[in-house]
Amino acid sequence: METAPTFFAVTVVEKVYRNGVIIFTLARSDGAPLPLFTAGAHISLRLPDGVIRQYSLCGDAGRPERYRLAILVAPDSRGAGAYLRDRLTLGRSIQICAPRNDFPLAELPHPALLLAGGIGLTPLLSMAQSLRAQRRPFQLHYFGRHETLAAFADQPEYAAVRDYLVIHPRDHEIASRLAPLVADWQQRYGRFGLYYCGSLPFMQSVSEYCDALGFPQADGHYESFTPAPVQGEPTFEIEIFSTGEIIPVPADLTIAGALNQAGIEVEISCGLGICGTCLAEVKGGIPDHRDDYLSAAQKQANNQILLCCSRARTPRLVIDL
Ligand code: FES
């Protein structure tokens, strides 16, 4: 089984809250370096109630003595957002785990077109700084609220890449702007990488337009921390190994959702198949693995499953909770 991530404490050494965006600077209290990261990486924060949240690092990957996070928090936010806004103040500590990168820059030295939808800007700021340092051609296109972007105006990430930034008024502009932009880049560079991050509708729009334009899948890279809605999936059953109880999993629920509805409590943290909190043993049937937690070999063994996101390839899965 994959080892669970190790959490360690960092301190808030700077906090800026503007236009609904909180920009945190985190460091070890003794000033020691933090684990290295590469552009596009994220860290997990463990909140006092045990909930784990993932946030992209927006700072310079060449400065591992501090991590920089930018988090959008609605004024009426409760739970995690309210905690980060009101209680995680300057000088306080929080548990984090070492950065993980599921959204890296491709190693091929191709130019990079970065598309940010609102606060999806954060990993792309880090990528833009890295691309600039590597002298690779790139552009950063921002689609979203002016206020969100303005929150970064006096921050070092913004200053470092300001000259490469193209600002579009709203994220729905992506519909009319993507085709000419991609055509222009294809003409200029032939092959290039397209990196995008933002809200679910933004991601869906970019993905659909890329498909419609015949953009090579291998050159499209994206990340989203919002679970995709579950709908129209094949139904199946879960059998609880210890009791023999059968729980149907409908087309619009995750396994965890169906079990919780049936009164069988499943603990969830990320809800994205990243953290491993909802891992269960498989005693029968074949899972349809959709997580980023298990290794390829573990997935092939088919004896574990992440209940927050994976489904079944067989009509019934027997699991041990
Ligand atoms: S809750 Fe994090 S992997 Fe399922």
Side-chain angles (χ1 to χ4, degrees):
M1 186 183 299
E2 185 158 306
T3 49
T6 307
F7 283 80
F8 57 93
V10 290
T11 304
V12 178
V13 296
E14 195 181 299
K15 180 178 181 182
V16 176
Y17 182 37
R18 188 181 299 142
N19 301 348
V21 177
I22 308 172
I23 301 179
F24 284 111
T25 306
L26 306 173
R28 286 197 201 264
S29 40
D30 59 2
L34 291 158
L36 292 169
F37 70 97
T38 50
H42 68 267
I43 56 171
S44 296
L45 269 56
R46 184 159 63 200
L47 307 183
D49 59 3
V51 168
I52 292 168
R53 289 275 186 272
Q54 284 78 32
Y55 298 104
S56 295
L57 293 164
C58 64
D60 183 350
R63 294 199 61 188
E65 74 279 10
R66 57 182 204 171
Y67 291 157
R68 304 258 301 160
L69 304 175
I71 302 169
L72 186 68
V73 176
D76 58 352
S77 177
R78 298 173 181 205
Y83 170 77
L84 296 171
R85 184 190 59 223
D86 303 331
R87 293 179 45 209
L88 188 59
T89 49
L90 207 58
R92 297 199 76 151
S93 290
I94 185 157
Q95 294 282 321
I96 68 167
C97 69
R100 169 185 167 126
N101 200 343
D102 300 320
F103 186 37
L105 283 166
E107 281 177 16
L108 295 171
H110 293 130
L113 182 56
L114 313 178
L115 306 179
I119 197 66
L121 179 65
T122 51
L124 302 178
L125 279 172
S126 184
M127 286 180 172
Q129 292 168 86
S130 179
L131 288 161
R132 196 186 75 146
Q134 296 172 42
R135 298 177 187 275
R136 272 167 70 177
F138 75 95
Q139 252 181 12
L140 172 55
H141 288 255
Y142 175 81
F143 297 82
R145 293 172 67 239
H146 172 74
E147 294 81 357
T148 303
L149 188 61
F152 292 89
D154 57 357
Q155 299 298 311
E157 297 77 18
Y158 187 87
V161 301
R162 186 197 318 260
D163 293 346
Y164 304 83
L165 189 63
V166 182
I167 302 169
H168 302 268
R170 307 292 297 181
D171 52 3
H172 63 253
E173 291 284 315
I174 191 77
S176 57
R177 311 239 168 158
L178 193 56
L181 188 58
V182 168
D184 176 44
W185 270 59
Q186 277 171 333
Q187 200 172 31
R188 265 204 270 177
Y189 299 111
R191 187 172 177 193
F192 62 93
L194 184 67
Y195 298 82
Y196 55 103
C197 184
S199 66
L200 212 53
F202 176 82
M203 307 290 286
Q204 280 168 343
S205 294
V206 177
S207 166
E208 281 165 18
Y209 281 103
C210 284
D211 288 348
L213 295 169
F215 189 80
Q217 276 192 354
D219 293 334
H221 312 272
Y222 60 89
E223 180 166 73
S224 171
F225 292 132
T226 314
V230 182
Q231 54 194 17
E233 294 281 357
T235 59
F236 56 97
E237 291 176 335
I238 291 291
E239 179 182 331
I240 306 297
F241 180 68
S242 56
T243 63
E245 194 176 349
I246 307 288
I247 317 292
V249 181
D252 59 352
L253 270 186
T254 61
I255 298 177
L259 294 178
N260 282 331
Q261 260 189 17
I264 301 169
E265 199 177 320
V266 176
E267 197 184 338
I268 297 291
S269 274
C270 69
L272 293 163
I274 295 174
C275 72
T277 301
C278 62
L279 189 70
E281 197 179 338
V282 176
K283 296 285 198 182
I286 301 175
D288 176 4
H289 296 288
R290 300 189 184 180
D291 64 274
D292 293 315
Y293 179 80
L294 297 173
S295 66
Q298 287 170 325
K299 285 178 182 171
Q300 231 168 17
N302 283 329
N303 55 10
Q304 299 174 83
I305 186 169
L306 274 305
L307 303 176
C308 67
C309 58
S310 295
R311 298 187 74 82
R313 292 192 188 283
T314 44
R316 183 177 292 184
L317 271 187
V318 186
I319 61 167
D320 196 9
L321 291 171

